[in-house]
Amino acid sequence: HVQLVESGGGSVQAGGALNLSCEVSGYTFNRNCMGWFRQRPGEEREKVATVYTGGGTTDYADSVKGRFTISQDKVKEAVYLQMNSLKLEDAAMYYCAAGRPYGRFGHRKCGGPDDFDYWGQGTQVTVS
């Protein structure tokens, strides 16, 4: 039984920071993809950041590059999202997800929401 449990959301003023955590169980953490996605009311879910846990390759949405950092802890089987310089438009429900990489060996990458099979319940981020 796969479980992804997010924590760390909350309310922060613009310019502030939050660190989201996601603990994974029941899933092969290594050599797969972990990602953070977000969804605002009335909008589609969008990718924020992904990491291929095998090689550590990361990818970010253009809107968060330079402000957000995704990281992993293979021992704890956890993934984190450090969010700095938060903007009003970063306010959303943030979801942790686990999925499959694509690409040949040595060039594995992570895709979009459709490539992720398991999702957490979400954690709300409010920016004012």
Side-chain angles (χ1 to χ4, degrees), residues 21-42:
S21 300
C22 175
E23 296 185 353
V24 185
S25 60
Y27 186 75
T28 302
F29 188 84
N30 197 25
R31 297 181 184 176
N32 274 310
C33 286
M34 295 298 301
W36 287 98
F37 297 79
R38 66 188 181 189
Q39 189 168 20
R40 303 179 190 87

PDB file of all heavy atoms in Angstrom, residues 21-42:
ATOM      1  N   SER A  21       7.530  18.838   3.154  1.00  0.00           N
ATOM      2  CA  SER A  21       8.106  17.507   3.273  1.00  0.00           C
ATOM      3  C   SER A  21       7.110  16.472   2.790  1.00  0.00           C
ATOM      4  O   SER A  21       5.898  16.663   2.918  1.00  0.00           O
ATOM      5  CB  SER A  21       8.471  17.205   4.730  1.00  0.00           C
ATOM      6  OG  SER A  21       9.409  18.112   5.234  1.00  0.00           O
ATOM      7  N   CYS A  22       7.628  15.372   2.268  1.00  0.00           N
ATOM      8  CA  CYS A  22       6.789  14.270   1.816  1.00  0.00           C
ATOM      9  C   CYS A  22       7.486  12.969   2.181  1.00  0.00           C
ATOM     10  O   CYS A  22       8.592  12.711   1.702  1.00  0.00           O
ATOM     11  CB  CYS A  22       6.555  14.360   0.321  1.00  0.00           C
ATOM     12  SG  CYS A  22       5.651  12.955  -0.384  1.00  0.00           S
ATOM     13  N   GLU A  23       6.849  12.185   3.002  1.00  0.00           N
ATOM     14  CA  GLU A  23       7.390  10.878   3.372  1.00  0.00           C
ATOM     15  C   GLU A  23       6.653   9.799   2.587  1.00  0.00           C
ATOM     16  O   GLU A  23       5.433   9.821   2.488  1.00  0.00           O
ATOM     17  CB  GLU A  23       7.250  10.652   4.873  1.00  0.00           C
ATOM     18  CG  GLU A  23       8.070  11.633   5.701  1.00  0.00           C
ATOM     19  CD  GLU A  23       8.019  11.329   7.176  1.00  0.00           C
ATOM     20  OE1 GLU A  23       7.247  10.448   7.580  1.00  0.00           O
ATOM     21  OE2 GLU A  23       8.760  11.975   7.937  1.00  0.00           O
ATOM     22  N   VAL A  24       7.421   8.871   2.058  1.00  0.00           N
ATOM     23  CA  VAL A  24       6.902   7.852   1.165  1.00  0.00           C
ATOM     24  C   VAL A  24       7.032   6.484   1.822  1.00  0.00           C
ATOM     25  O   VAL A  24       8.059   6.185   2.439  1.00  0.00           O
ATOM     26  CB  VAL A  24       7.662   7.858  -0.173  1.00  0.00           C
ATOM     27  CG1 VAL A  24       7.031   6.872  -1.146  1.00  0.00           C
ATOM     28  CG2 VAL A  24       7.700   9.253  -0.761  1.00  0.00           C
ATOM     29  N   SER A  25       6.025   5.666   1.669  1.00  0.00           N
ATOM     30  CA  SER A  25       6.102   4.294   2.141  1.00  0.00           C
ATOM     31  C   SER A  25       5.398   3.384   1.168  1.00  0.00           C
ATOM     32  O   SER A  25       4.500   3.814   0.426  1.00  0.00           O
ATOM     33  CB  SER A  25       5.481   4.156   3.542  1.00  0.00           C
ATOM     34  OG  SER A  25       4.123   4.529   3.517  1.00  0.00           O
ATOM     35  N   GLY A  26       5.850   2.129   1.130  1.00  0.00           N
ATOM     36  CA  GLY A  26       5.227   1.152   0.257  1.00  0.00           C
ATOM     37  C   GLY A  26       5.556   1.326  -1.211  1.00  0.00           C
ATOM     38  O   GLY A  26       4.890   0.741  -2.080  1.00  0.00           O
ATOM     39  N   TYR A  27       6.603   2.073  -1.509  1.00  0.00           N
ATOM     40  CA  TYR A  27       6.962   2.376  -2.895  1.00  0.00           C
ATOM     41  C   TYR A  27       8.460   2.269  -3.049  1.00  0.00           C
ATOM     42  O   TYR A  27       9.212   2.597  -2.135  1.00  0.00           O
ATOM     43  CB  TYR A  27       6.504   3.792  -3.238  1.00  0.00           C
ATOM     44  CG  TYR A  27       6.674   4.195  -4.683  1.00  0.00           C
ATOM     45  CD1 TYR A  27       5.809   3.705  -5.653  1.00  0.00           C
ATOM     46  CD2 TYR A  27       7.680   5.074  -5.074  1.00  0.00           C
ATOM     47  CE1 TYR A  27       5.945   4.072  -6.978  1.00  0.00           C
ATOM     48  CE2 TYR A  27       7.831   5.447  -6.394  1.00  0.00           C
ATOM     49  CZ  TYR A  27       6.957   4.956  -7.343  1.00  0.00           C
ATOM     50  OH  TYR A  27       7.093   5.319  -8.651  1.00  0.00           O
ATOM     51  N   THR A  28       8.892   1.799  -4.222  1.00  0.00           N
ATOM     52  CA  THR A  28      10.323   1.727  -4.493  1.00  0.00           C
ATOM     53  C   THR A  28      10.837   3.133  -4.751  1.00  0.00           C
ATOM     54  O   THR A  28      10.652   3.694  -5.829  1.00  0.00           O
ATOM     55  CB  THR A  28      10.606   0.829  -5.705  1.00  0.00           C
ATOM     56  OG1 THR A  28      10.068  -0.478  -5.464  1.00  0.00           O
ATOM     57  CG2 THR A  28      12.105   0.733  -5.953  1.00  0.00           C
ATOM     58  N   PHE A  29      11.475   3.699  -3.719  1.00  0.00           N
ATOM     59  CA  PHE A  29      11.871   5.112  -3.793  1.00  0.00           C
ATOM     60  C   PHE A  29      12.987   5.338  -4.807  1.00  0.00           C
ATOM     61  O   PHE A  29      12.943   6.286  -5.604  1.00  0.00           O
ATOM     62  CB  PHE A  29      12.308   5.570  -2.399  1.00  0.00           C
ATOM     63  CG  PHE A  29      12.569   7.040  -2.296  1.00  0.00           C
ATOM     64  CD1 PHE A  29      11.533   7.933  -2.062  1.00  0.00           C
ATOM     65  CD2 PHE A  29      13.861   7.544  -2.424  1.00  0.00           C
ATOM     66  CE1 PHE A  29      11.764   9.293  -1.960  1.00  0.00           C
ATOM     67  CE2 PHE A  29      14.105   8.911  -2.328  1.00  0.00           C
ATOM     68  CZ  PHE A  29      13.055   9.774  -2.104  1.00  0.00           C
ATOM     69  N   ASN A  30      13.981   4.454  -4.781  1.00  0.00           N
ATOM     70  CA  ASN A  30      15.160   4.686  -5.617  1.00  0.00           C
ATOM     71  C   ASN A  30      14.863   4.396  -7.080  1.00  0.00           C
ATOM     72  O   ASN A  30      14.063   3.523  -7.416  1.00  0.00           O
ATOM     73  CB  ASN A  30      16.321   3.825  -5.122  1.00  0.00           C
ATOM     74  CG  ASN A  30      17.644   4.313  -5.649  1.00  0.00           C
ATOM     75  OD1 ASN A  30      17.805   5.479  -5.986  1.00  0.00           O
ATOM     76  ND2 ASN A  30      18.617   3.409  -5.736  1.00  0.00           N
ATOM     77  N   ARG A  31      15.480   5.165  -7.948  1.00  0.00           N
ATOM     78  CA  ARG A  31      15.378   4.997  -9.400  1.00  0.00           C
ATOM     79  C   ARG A  31      13.952   5.195  -9.910  1.00  0.00           C
ATOM     80  O   ARG A  31      13.536   4.564 -10.885  1.00  0.00           O
ATOM     81  CB  ARG A  31      15.919   3.640  -9.835  1.00  0.00           C
ATOM     82  CG  ARG A  31      17.399   3.468  -9.529  1.00  0.00           C
ATOM     83  CD  ARG A  31      17.912   2.131  -9.986  1.00  0.00           C
ATOM     84  NE  ARG A  31      19.294   1.937  -9.601  1.00  0.00           N
ATOM     85  CZ  ARG A  31      19.979   0.818  -9.798  1.00  0.00           C
ATOM     86  NH1 ARG A  31      19.398  -0.194 -10.399  1.00  0.00           N
ATOM     87  NH2 ARG A  31      21.225   0.720  -9.403  1.00  0.00           N
ATOM     88  N   ASN A  32      13.244   6.073  -9.245  1.00  0.00           N
ATOM     89  CA  ASN A  32      11.936   6.491  -9.723  1.00  0.00           C
ATOM     90  C   ASN A  32      11.843   8.004  -9.650  1.00  0.00           C
ATOM     91  O   ASN A  32      12.839   8.661  -9.342  1.00  0.00           O
ATOM     92  CB  ASN A  32      10.820   5.833  -8.901  1.00  0.00           C
ATOM     93  CG  ASN A  32      10.466   4.461  -9.441  1.00  0.00           C
ATOM     94  OD1 ASN A  32      10.238   4.284 -10.643  1.00  0.00           O
ATOM     95  ND2 ASN A  32      10.394   3.477  -8.566  1.00  0.00           N
ATOM     96  N   CYS A  33      10.719   8.533  -9.952  1.00  0.00           N
ATOM     97  CA  CYS A  33      10.531   9.973  -9.926  1.00  0.00           C
ATOM     98  C   CYS A  33       9.687  10.386  -8.732  1.00  0.00           C
ATOM     99  O   CYS A  33       8.701   9.721  -8.401  1.00  0.00           O
ATOM    100  CB  CYS A  33       9.844  10.441 -11.206  1.00  0.00           C
ATOM    101  SG  CYS A  33      10.892  10.433 -12.654  1.00  0.00           S
ATOM    102  N   MET A  34      10.100  11.476  -8.130  1.00  0.00           N
ATOM    103  CA  MET A  34       9.293  12.126  -7.111  1.00  0.00           C
ATOM    104  C   MET A  34       9.058  13.554  -7.568  1.00  0.00           C
ATOM    105  O   MET A  34       9.937  14.171  -8.179  1.00  0.00           O
ATOM    106  CB  MET A  34      10.004  12.122  -5.759  1.00  0.00           C
ATOM    107  CG  MET A  34      10.212  10.743  -5.156  1.00  0.00           C
ATOM    108  SD  MET A  34       8.653   9.901  -4.813  1.00  0.00           S
ATOM    109  CE  MET A  34       7.877  11.058  -3.695  1.00  0.00           C
ATOM    110  N   GLY A  35       7.882  14.063  -7.291  1.00  0.00           N
ATOM    111  CA  GLY A  35       7.592  15.397  -7.759  1.00  0.00           C
ATOM    112  C   GLY A  35       6.685  16.167  -6.830  1.00  0.00           C
ATOM    113  O   GLY A  35       5.985  15.589  -5.991  1.00  0.00           O
ATOM    114  N   TRP A  36       6.731  17.468  -7.005  1.00  0.00           N
ATOM    115  CA  TRP A  36       5.797  18.368  -6.345  1.00  0.00           C
ATOM    116  C   TRP A  36       4.968  19.050  -7.434  1.00  0.00           C
ATOM    117  O   TRP A  36       5.516  19.566  -8.409  1.00  0.00           O
ATOM    118  CB  TRP A  36       6.534  19.412  -5.517  1.00  0.00           C
ATOM    119  CG  TRP A  36       7.127  18.865  -4.259  1.00  0.00           C
ATOM    120  CD1 TRP A  36       8.420  18.475  -4.062  1.00  0.00           C
ATOM    121  CD2 TRP A  36       6.440  18.642  -3.021  1.00  0.00           C
ATOM    122  NE1 TRP A  36       8.579  18.017  -2.782  1.00  0.00           N
ATOM    123  CE2 TRP A  36       7.380  18.115  -2.115  1.00  0.00           C
ATOM    124  CE3 TRP A  36       5.130  18.849  -2.589  1.00  0.00           C
ATOM    125  CZ2 TRP A  36       7.057  17.773  -0.799  1.00  0.00           C
ATOM    126  CZ3 TRP A  36       4.806  18.510  -1.291  1.00  0.00           C
ATOM    127  CH2 TRP A  36       5.755  17.983  -0.408  1.00  0.00           C
ATOM    128  N   PHE A  37       3.689  19.044  -7.221  1.00  0.00           N
ATOM    129  CA  PHE A  37       2.756  19.675  -8.138  1.00  0.00           C
ATOM    130  C   PHE A  37       1.865  20.609  -7.331  1.00  0.00           C
ATOM    131  O   PHE A  37       1.770  20.488  -6.110  1.00  0.00           O
ATOM    132  CB  PHE A  37       1.897  18.611  -8.846  1.00  0.00           C
ATOM    133  CG  PHE A  37       2.698  17.670  -9.696  1.00  0.00           C
ATOM    134  CD1 PHE A  37       3.399  16.616  -9.138  1.00  0.00           C
ATOM    135  CD2 PHE A  37       2.762  17.851 -11.067  1.00  0.00           C
ATOM    136  CE1 PHE A  37       4.167  15.754  -9.922  1.00  0.00           C
ATOM    137  CE2 PHE A  37       3.507  16.998 -11.864  1.00  0.00           C
ATOM    138  CZ  PHE A  37       4.207  15.954 -11.286  1.00  0.00           C
ATOM    139  N   ARG A  38       1.215  21.524  -8.015  1.00  0.00           N
ATOM    140  CA  ARG A  38       0.307  22.411  -7.304  1.00  0.00           C
ATOM    141  C   ARG A  38      -0.935  22.661  -8.142  1.00  0.00           C
ATOM    142  O   ARG A  38      -0.911  22.534  -9.372  1.00  0.00           O
ATOM    143  CB  ARG A  38       0.980  23.726  -6.948  1.00  0.00           C
ATOM    144  CG  ARG A  38       1.373  24.609  -8.117  1.00  0.00           C
ATOM    145  CD  ARG A  38       2.205  25.792  -7.626  1.00  0.00           C
ATOM    146  NE  ARG A  38       2.579  26.679  -8.722  1.00  0.00           N
ATOM    147  CZ  ARG A  38       3.438  27.690  -8.594  1.00  0.00           C
ATOM    148  NH1 ARG A  38       4.001  27.944  -7.405  1.00  0.00           N
ATOM    149  NH2 ARG A  38       3.719  28.460  -9.629  1.00  0.00           N
ATOM    150  N   GLN A  39      -1.978  23.028  -7.448  1.00  0.00           N
ATOM    151  CA  GLN A  39      -3.239  23.279  -8.131  1.00  0.00           C
ATOM    152  C   GLN A  39      -3.974  24.421  -7.434  1.00  0.00           C
ATOM    153  O   GLN A  39      -4.174  24.383  -6.212  1.00  0.00           O
ATOM    154  CB  GLN A  39      -4.108  22.021  -8.136  1.00  0.00           C
ATOM    155  CG  GLN A  39      -5.341  22.129  -9.003  1.00  0.00           C
ATOM    156  CD  GLN A  39      -6.018  20.793  -9.205  1.00  0.00           C
ATOM    157  OE1 GLN A  39      -5.833  19.847  -8.445  1.00  0.00           O
ATOM    158  NE2 GLN A  39      -6.818  20.697 -10.250  1.00  0.00           N
ATOM    159  N   ARG A  40      -4.333  25.416  -8.230  1.00  0.00           N
ATOM    160  CA  ARG A  40      -5.132  26.515  -7.730  1.00  0.00           C
ATOM    161  C   ARG A  40      -6.587  26.238  -8.066  1.00  0.00           C
ATOM    162  O   ARG A  40      -6.886  25.536  -9.030  1.00  0.00           O
ATOM    163  CB  ARG A  40      -4.669  27.829  -8.358  1.00  0.00           C
ATOM    164  CG  ARG A  40      -3.200  28.145  -8.145  1.00  0.00           C
ATOM    165  CD  ARG A  40      -2.828  29.462  -8.818  1.00  0.00           C
ATOM    166  NE  ARG A  40      -1.392  29.694  -8.838  1.00  0.00           N
ATOM    167  CZ  ARG A  40      -0.576  29.252  -9.796  1.00  0.00           C
ATOM    168  NH1 ARG A  40      -1.073  28.545 -10.797  1.00  0.00           N
ATOM    169  NH2 ARG A  40       0.710  29.508  -9.747  1.00  0.00           N
ATOM    170  N   PRO A  41      -7.512  26.806  -7.340  1.00  0.00           N
ATOM    171  CA  PRO A  41      -8.935  26.578  -7.631  1.00  0.00           C
ATOM    172  C   PRO A  41      -9.276  26.934  -9.068  1.00  0.00           C
ATOM    173  O   PRO A  41      -8.910  28.011  -9.562  1.00  0.00           O
ATOM    174  CB  PRO A  41      -9.632  27.514  -6.644  1.00  0.00           C
ATOM    175  CG  PRO A  41      -8.676  27.663  -5.513  1.00  0.00           C
ATOM    176  CD  PRO A  41      -7.315  27.647  -6.140  1.00  0.00           C
ATOM    177  N   GLY A  42      -9.951  26.016  -9.739  1.00  0.00           N
ATOM    178  CA  GLY A  42     -10.383  26.253 -11.106  1.00  0.00           C
ATOM    179  C   GLY A  42      -9.308  26.062 -12.156  1.00  0.00           C
ATOM    180  O   GLY A  42      -9.565  26.283 -13.341  1.00  0.00           O
TER     181      GLY A  42
END
